Amino acid sequence: MAKIKFGTDGWRDIIAQNFTFENLTKVAIATAKFYKKHKKIKNGIVIGYDTRFLSKEFAEHVATVIANFGVKVLLSDGYCPTPAVSLAIPKFNCAGGVVITASHNPYKYNGYKLKADYGGPEEVENIAKVEKEANKLFKSELEKVKKSFEQLKEKGLIEVVNLRKIYIDDLKTKIDVEAIKNSGLKIVHDAMYGAGQKILTEIIPSATVIHNEFNPSFGGISPEPIAKNLGELIKLVPEKGFDVGLATDGDADRIGAVDEKGNFVDPQRVFAILLKYFYEDKGLRGDVVKTVSVGLMVDKLAQKYGLKVYELPVGFKHVATLMITKDIMIGGEESGGIGVKTHIPERDGLFLGLTICEMMVKRGKKLSEIVEELFAEIGPHFYKRVELHTTESHKQKVLGKLKKGLKEIAGYKVNNVLTIDGFKFFFDNGWLLVRASGTEPLLRFYCEADDPEKVDKVLDWIVNLK
C-alpha cells in the first residue's frame, strides 16, 4: 500500500484505494499523539467534513480514534466549510483541528487537512511530524482503538457542535449585510455541490443558489471554481440579469467570480480588487503576501500604497504562517484562496464573495466597472494556467532545460528568474511559471502578460518545448 503523503494542502488520496479507514486510523492516531502535547489540549480539537462520499463516516471514525486517546473532540453536526472549522478552533481555544475534505479534487478523492490552534493551516514541520508518525505505525497499535463513537459521546469525549451557525453568525458581524440586502443586488451563488451550500441564503435570503444539494459526484465536474467548470453560472448571470455570480469550491475556502456580462473574473483580478478595496475603502494597513503563482497586479498596487510584498512557494500554509508572525493585511494564492487580517488567517470563499458584493454596493459600481477601473490604474493584465499530462521522462527533460536557464521565451527576452518554487521567468510586461508535480508526470504552466495573445503564444511555446 502506498505511503500517506501530505501535499501543499493536506493528505489527499483516492477513496478505497489509499484513502481507507485503516489509513485514516493511522493518521488519526498520529494526530492524537501530536496534539496531546499541546498546551491547549484540555479544550480538545475541532473536526469538520465536506459533502464528499463517506466524509461524515470518515469524520466520525477520526473523532472516535482521537477520542480513544483521551482527547476531547468537538465534531461538526453536519457538513461545513473548512473556514468554519478554522474559525471554531480559536473560538473554543482548541489545540487544533481536522477537516475531512479533498477540497477541489475530483469526486473519487477524499482528504485530511490539519489546522493549527490559530485556525489556519498547521505549520509545515508539524504536518511532517504527523505524516512520519502515521507511516511508521504497526497494525497492533491500530487495535488499541476499542471504545465506540456512542460510548465516547456518552463519556463527553465527543461533543457534537453546530459549526455552521457559529460561522454564519460570525460572517454577519464582518460584512455589511444590511447594505447588501437594501441595495437590491441580484446575486447567484454556485455552491458546486460543496460544503458552502445553503449558507449564502442564510445571510442574504434573496440570493439565488445553484448546485445547492447533496451530490458526492459533483455532477461529474471537479468542484474547482475556474472558468472551465462554471459554464452554467457564466451563462446564467447575463441570461437572468444577475449583477454578480459567485462560486465556491468543494470545501468553500476558494472563490470564483463572474461579472454581470458573464465574464469570468479570475482570482488574480479578485486578489487585486480586494487589496484595493481593503486599503482604499476599509482603511486596512499592513503588508501583502502572495505565492509565486500570483501576478504583478498585486505588486503594482502594493508599490503604489508603499506596502511590502512577500513572495512564497505555493501553498496557503506558507501564507498563513507569515500572517500570524507579521503585520499582513492580505495574503493569498492564484487559486482563489485569500486571507484578510480582519477575519481569520485562512482562506474563506464565502467571506470573500460577500466582500465582493459589499464592495459593489459601497462603490456603486458593477463588477466589470471595478475591473476596468483597476486596469485604467495599473494597465491591462491577462492570465491563464494550463496543465500538461506527459511522461516522466519528458517532464524531467523539460525541467533539465529550465535548470540550465532560458535566454528567451517565445521570442521574448528573459529579464529575471525566480526559483523558490519551480521556475518563474520574467519578460517585459509578463512572466511564465513552470511547476512540476512531485507525485505524477504532470507539468503546470502559469502565464500573465499585458495581452491575451501574448499569454497564448507563451503557453503554446512552453507546452511544445521539446
Side-chain angles (χ1 to χ4, degrees):
M1 189 173 284
K3 279 194 169 185
I4 293 160
K5 179 69 177 173
F6 281 73
T8 55
D9 192 18
W11 166 48
R12 298 178 195 177
D13 238 313
I14 296 174
I15 299 167
Q17 182 172 301
N18 208 43
F19 200 90
T20 62
F21 283 101
E22 182 176 320
N23 275 343
L24 265 179
T25 302
K26 293 178 182 178
V27 181
I29 290 174
T31 300
K33 287 184 175 182
F34 174 77
Y35 283 116
K36 280 203 80 161
K37 303 169 188 173
H38 199 285
K39 61 184 179 182
K40 298 179 181 178
I41 195 57
K42 67 178 185 298
N43 299 316
I45 68 168
V46 181
I47 297 179
Y49 56 93
D50 67 7
T51 55
R52 289 174 180 270
F53 178 65
L54 288 179
S55 279
K56 179 182 179 181
E57 289 79 3
F58 287 147
E60 290 181 350
H61 180 71
V62 170
T64 303
V65 173
I66 291 175
N68 261 278
F69 282 77
V71 175
K72 183 176 180 179
V73 173
L74 301 179
L75 175 66
S76 179
D77 67 349
Y79 60 78
C80 67
T82 284
V85 175
S86 295
L87 179 76
I89 294 167
K91 182 177 181 64
F92 291 110
N93 200 28
C94 289
V98 172
V99 190
I100 301 299
T101 179
S103 187
H104 61 282
N105 277 40
Y107 71 92
K108 63 182 179 180
Y109 285 83
N110 216 319
Y112 189 104
K113 290 184 180 183
L114 278 173
K115 299 297 172 182
D117 61 354
Y118 60 83
E122 186 57 84
E123 294 179 32
V124 177
E125 58 269 26
N126 293 336
I127 293 171
K129 289 175 184 176
V130 172
E131 179 187 289
K132 183 178 179 181
E133 178 67 23
N135 280 307
K136 73 178 187 181
L137 288 172
F138 293 105
K139 201 158 189 174
S140 59
E141 293 184 77
L142 309 190
E143 293 167 359
K144 294 178 182 177
V145 179
K146 295 181 178 178
K147 292 187 177 68
S148 70
F149 180 81
E150 292 301 328
Q151 288 173 324
L152 292 162
K153 270 182 70 178
E154 288 176 15
K155 290 187 69 173
L157 277 168
I158 295 177
E159 180 183 344
V160 178
V161 182
N162 188 341
L163 298 186
R164 286 168 63 91
K165 183 179 186 307
I166 293 167
Y167 172 68
I168 290 168
D169 289 347
D170 182 78
L171 287 181
K172 288 178 179 177
T173 69
K174 293 172 178 174
I175 302 291
D176 194 341
V177 174
E178 291 306 310
I180 298 173
K181 286 180 178 178
N182 294 334
S183 70
L185 196 71
K186 292 186 68 178
I187 305 164
V188 56
H189 173 217
D190 186 348
M192 302 195 83
Y193 304 108
Q197 61 183 270
K198 297 180 173 62
I199 288 183
L200 192 70
T201 47
E202 287 281 331
I203 301 169
I204 310 293
S206 63
T208 298
V209 188
I210 62 173
H211 304 143
N212 195 43
E213 62 272 2
F214 187 72
N215 182 344
S217 69
F218 303 114
I221 296 175
S222 296
E224 182 177 13
I226 56 178
K228 71 175 184 178
N229 297 332
L230 299 176
E232 187 176 338
L233 181 67
I234 288 169
K235 181 182 178 183
L236 188 66
V237 172
E239 194 176 81
K240 297 296 184 182
F242 288 104
D243 297 304
V244 62
L246 306 171
T248 49
D249 68 329
D251 63 333
D253 64 355
R254 297 184 181 191
I255 183 66
V258 176
D259 72 17
E260 75 287 353
K261 299 175 183 178
N263 297 314
F264 179 67
V265 182
D266 69 56
Q268 303 274 8
R269 298 176 185 184
V270 169
F271 195 152
I273 62 176
L274 287 173
L275 167 57
K276 185 176 172 67
Y277 178 61
F278 282 115
Y279 185 90
E280 294 183 0
D281 296 64
K282 306 281 277 187
L284 288 191
R285 294 296 181 266
D287 293 325
V288 179
V289 56
K290 67 173 193 172
T291 57
V292 69
S293 55
V294 172
L296 299 174
M297 290 185 286
V298 167
D299 298 74
K300 289 182 179 181
L301 286 173
Q303 185 177 19
K304 176 189 174 184
Y305 302 143
L307 308 177
K308 182 175 181 178
V309 176
Y310 296 90
E311 191 159 3
L312 303 175
V314 170
F316 195 81
K317 57 191 176 186
H318 303 297
V319 175
T321 298
L322 211 61
M323 290 186 77
I324 62 166
T325 56
K326 296 185 182 295
D327 183 21
I328 302 297
M329 177 177 71
I330 187 170
E333 305 178 286
E334 62 82 35
S335 60
I338 301 166
V340 183
K341 73 187 298 184
T342 55
H343 191 32
I344 46 178
E346 176 68 281
R347 298 167 295 189
D348 189 340
L350 288 161
F351 169 76
L352 297 172
L354 286 164
T355 300
I356 289 171
C357 295
E358 180 188 89
M359 172 172 52
M360 292 171 65
V361 170
K362 297 287 185 178
R363 291 196 160 187
K365 292 184 177 181
K366 299 174 181 178
L367 185 53
S368 65
E369 293 172 339
I370 291 171
V371 173
E372 287 167 7
E373 180 184 72
L374 174 72
F375 283 1
E377 186 175 336
I378 63 172
H381 290 72
F382 300 90
Y383 167 80
K384 191 178 287 187
R385 181 186 81 188
V386 298
E387 294 186 347
L388 176 64
H389 293 267
T390 182
T391 62
E392 186 62 27
S393 61
H394 179 251
K395 182 178 89 170
Q396 294 305 325
K397 186 176 180 181
V398 171
L399 293 176
K401 286 193 174 185
L402 301 183
K403 286 176 185 176
K404 291 177 182 177
L406 298 174
K407 291 185 179 180
E408 63 174 42
I409 292 173
Y412 303 110
K413 182 184 175 183
V414 174
N415 302 320
N416 191 24
V417 183
L418 187 65
T419 57
I420 59 172
D421 186 351
F423 301 88
K424 189 173 185 179
F425 299 95
F426 294 87
F427 48 87
D428 287 347
N429 299 313
W431 54 270
L432 167 71
L433 171 66
V434 181
R435 295 177 62 246
S437 169
T439 58
E440 57 183 321
L442 173 70
L443 288 166
R444 295 184 176 92
F445 306 115
Y446 314 70
C447 182
E448 180 188 54
D450 55 351
D451 183 274
E453 291 183 5
K454 196 173 184 179
V455 172
D456 289 335
K457 183 180 176 182
V458 169
L459 288 173
D460 183 64
W461 180 89
I462 189 66
V463 165
N464 290 290
L465 182 67
K466 303 297 183 182

